[in-house]
Each structure stands twice: as structure tokens, then as C-alpha cells.
Amino acid sequence: MSSTVGIDLDGWQRLVDGLREAVLVVDPAGVVRVRNAAAADRFPRLCPGERFDVHVAGRQHDLGEGWNAWYFTDSALDHAHLRLAGGSSRQDTLKTIVQLAAELLGEHCVAVVPATRDRLEWWRCGGGEPTVARSPRRASTISEVLTGTSTLTRITSLGEGNWGVPEDFGSALAVPLGVGGALVVLRHGDFAPNDVERIRLFGKHAAVALESASRLTEQQRTIDILRSALLPLPLPEMRGVEMASVFIPAHQRALVGGDFYDVHPRTDGSATFALGDVCGHGLEAAVHSGRVRQSLQALSLVETNPVRLLHLLNTSLRATGSKLFTTIVVGELVPLSSGGARLSLASGGHPAPLILRTDGSVQEVSAPGAIVGILSDVRFHGEQVTLAPGDTLVLYSDGFTEARAHTDRTELFGEQRLRTVLKECKGLSAEEIARHCEEAVLKWLDRDDHDDLALLAVQAV
């Protein structure tokens, strides 16, 4: 029957279903007729048709003719649920779970959750800072909760496990905490019926929060692993040269971009180095730059001549079917026994490298060539230069020269301004040159949007 003495039960059900507080509609005979989802969580045994028997304070609303609506709010538990929902990592969420459970539900709390290598983690809190311990997967006293065959277990003896709580506890209850986990609340006194339901409800919310945080933690771990393969490697130490770099992606939250640089030393003291720029932005460009770097590293094992290396790289990238093209400068570095270094360079559509000589002059290294990865019929030209001790070769991406002034977004930083900045670096080390260039372009931008920025400084010593 959906309507009795003017009470529309279906209407009340629709009205209260979306409320966060627990609501029960009780008829004149004291029988529950309507229960919303929050009340089902808080009073699972109090189904419609059961006699209203609640021993906690609630707010009564007279509906007339002996009918009443009862509203129950647990502000402390609601606040705890909000705190749980804000967890972003598995570790922080587990700490919050045991802290809140110890504060609101008992003197001590232990969260037992699956860990790697078939072990269990025991997160414990007794009012202080949460601690964690690990053990083999043995916890017979709460095994039914851990396996999901029970939704509530009363514990009379702790048994094995890293409980870390006083042995003279009075009562302990265990409820599920997600798949393979359990939340154990301990206190010196006994639990009242309402305490049991609060622990059940807290356990449900804690399990949801832990599952969500665990998923986010695993996603972040996957992202970090994938990102690490796309980030530049630390520059190697090499005899006869010092190197420094600048790498600032356009999307700094992602930490990756389409610009890249690499240096691959060989056992004979020489090295292949490169700096490039994949067209596009963000993750797609970063993934393609990773493909370029991996191809170049593999190809440099069998070919050292920069011109032939670019031809092989072009063929390799075209075979992937990608529509993104790359501009790049590839070089071979050979330290000279008399001091300085000999460089062989080839460029694929990239801004020409610059050399800062010890007298403060700046020279361009012209090695024209087509973009890489799109056309089958391409031409590349090589150029050889010698760096005397103190001379510095600077490779850079167009993010530097095309950086737009914060005062006038139509004005570019430009190659001439970059040359001027390099002239100011006379007598500086490779690291100081890289930092001076970085500071100059960032001051020019003044926190405005920009393209990826990459620079590699190679100084003969």
C-alpha cells in the first residue's frame, strides 16, 4: 500500500532517498514504513515492517495522524567520511582511517590490508602517530573477515599478528575493509548496539575511500614509470668536455614535452649527442620524442657519422607510421689529446647551433637539412668544427628564439637576442652559460605561456 491516511509512502521514499542523514518514517503503530539509504547503512537490521527501536538521539517531525519522521545525524561520522573522501594516496588514507577510528570508535584501531609478496600490512593507531608493520599472511582470528565470509567478527583473543595493542583489551570488533582487508576496533569496555552500527558504517566508507586512493596511487605509479622513460637522462661525465642543460616543458605539471636532448658516450671516449624538437605539444609529442630517442640510441651503436645517422633515423621513424615530424641536430664528439674537441654535426630542419668562443664572439654552425620522419627523399649535410679549450657549443630548441615577450606577445626573443645573451657569458662555465640563458628567457616570458624549452651546452676543457 503506497498511501495510508494521507501519507504518501512512495512520495516520502523518493523525497528522503537522496538525503545524507538517516531518515525513518514510522506509522502510528510504531512500525517503520520508509527507510532511506543512509538509514539502511546506519540501521541495517531496522527494515520496513520492523518495530521502530532506536536508542540514539534523533530529530522527530510530526506528520499528523500519529505518523512521524525521524532524522538521525552523526556529525562526527559525517566529518570523518569527508576526511576519508579527501585522501589521494593509499598510505595517507590508511593513516587517516586508523586515526579516525581510534578517535571516534575505540581506544585502539588496526587496519589489516594485503601487501606485496603475499604479506599483510598492519596499520595501527592508539591515539598517537600511526605505525605500520608487515608480516606473513596469517591472522586466524580475523580470517573470516579477511576472506569476506563474515561482515562482523567479535574478537576475544588477538592471536598471531603485528597487533601492537595492549593485551588486556576488553572488546574488539572486526569489519571488512575492502577485498582481503579488515578494520579492527578495540576498547577496554564493551560496545553498545549503536557502536556496532557506527563501526559497520565507518568500515564501509573507509573501504570505498581506500579502494579509490589505492587506484589513484597505482595510476600515479604507472604514470611515474612511463614518465621516467620520457625524461632526459643525467648528463654523463666525459674526459675533455663539460656539459650542462636546460629542460622546461610547456606543460610543467606533466614534466614532459616534445623537446629532448641526449648524450651517448662510447668506450673510446667519443660520444653521440643530439637535441631535437617533435612538432606538437603534451603527451603525444613526449611519447614520440621517446620513440626518437630510443631509435637514435640504438642506431648510434652501429653508425657514428651524423649524416648517415639522420638518414637511418628518418627511415626508422617513417616505418612507425607516425604523422609527427622532428627537427634535430645530431653530433659526434671526439676529445683531442692536445686539448679541445672535434665535432661533426648534421641537422634535420633544426635551428643552427651556436659556438661561443673564448674571445666572446658567437659563430653559427650551418648544416642545413630536411625535417626528419615524414619524407622518404631527404638530404642532410654535415659540418665539422673544432672547439678549443674554453669554447662552448650551444644547441637549443626554437622555444628559446620563439619565446614571446610578456610585455608584447608579438615580439619574439629571437636568435639575435640569444647571441647577445651568449656574448655576456664570456669566460663562464657550461653550467653558468646554461643558467644565464635560462634566466634570460624566463625573464623575457615572466611566467607567461611558452613552448618547450631545451638547451645543451658542450664546453671543451
Side-chain angles (χ1 to χ4, degrees), residues 134-205:
R134 292 169 180 82
S135 72
R137 192 181 289 267
R138 292 194 304 271
S140 59
T141 52
I142 55 172
S143 60
E144 291 183 352
V145 174
L146 291 175
T147 57
T149 58
S150 173
T151 59
L152 178 70
T153 295
R154 292 183 180 272
I155 302 173
T156 57
S157 175
L158 294 179
E160 77 281 356
N162 287 288
W163 291 100
V165 299
E167 289 291 337
D168 60 344
F169 71 95
S171 304
L173 289 176
V175 294
L177 189 61
V179 178
L183 177 69
V184 184
V185 179
L186 305 98
R187 62 168 57 173
H188 287 98
D190 201 2
F191 293 99
N194 184 55
D195 294 330
V196 176
E197 301 308 330
R198 293 182 84 224
I199 292 171
R200 285 181 185 272
L201 185 57
F202 180 87
K204 287 183 180 180
H205 284 272

Side-chain angles (χ1 to χ4, degrees), residues 351-368:
L354 299 174
I355 296 178
L356 172 63
R357 298 293 185 181
T358 53
D359 61 3
S361 63
V362 176
Q363 301 173 358
E364 179 182 288
V365 181
S366 178

Side-chain angles (χ1 to χ4, degrees), residues 405-444:
H406 69 278
T407 54
D408 180 359
R409 298 295 284 171
T410 64
E411 186 178 3
L412 303 182
F413 193 76
E415 183 181 320
Q416 189 55 50
R417 189 170 279 103
L418 180 59
R419 285 172 175 261
T420 301
V421 170
L422 285 177
K423 289 178 180 179
E424 297 168 355
C425 296
K426 176 183 176 181
L428 298 183
S429 67
E431 182 65 32
E432 291 169 328
I433 293 171
R435 298 289 74 80
H436 188 66
C437 292
E438 177 182 8
E439 291 167 4
V441 74
L442 291 180
K443 182 178 180 181
W444 177 260

Side-chain angles (χ1 to χ4, degrees), residues 87-91 209-228 253-254 283:
S88 59
S89 75
R90 178 180 181 275
Q91 176 175 309
L210 180 58
E211 181 182 359
S212 176
S214 298
R215 190 181 303 115
L216 287 174
T217 299
E218 187 60 30
Q219 289 175 352
Q220 187 59 51
R221 180 174 175 272
T222 301
I223 290 170
D224 290 343
I225 292 172
L226 295 175
R227 180 188 287 150
S228 65
R253 286 186 61 187
L283 187 58

Side-chain angles (χ1 to χ4, degrees), residues 23-36:
V23 182
L24 298 170
V25 176
V26 182
D27 69 14
V31 175
V32 175
R33 302 296 296 274
V34 173
R35 179 182 71 168
N36 70 348

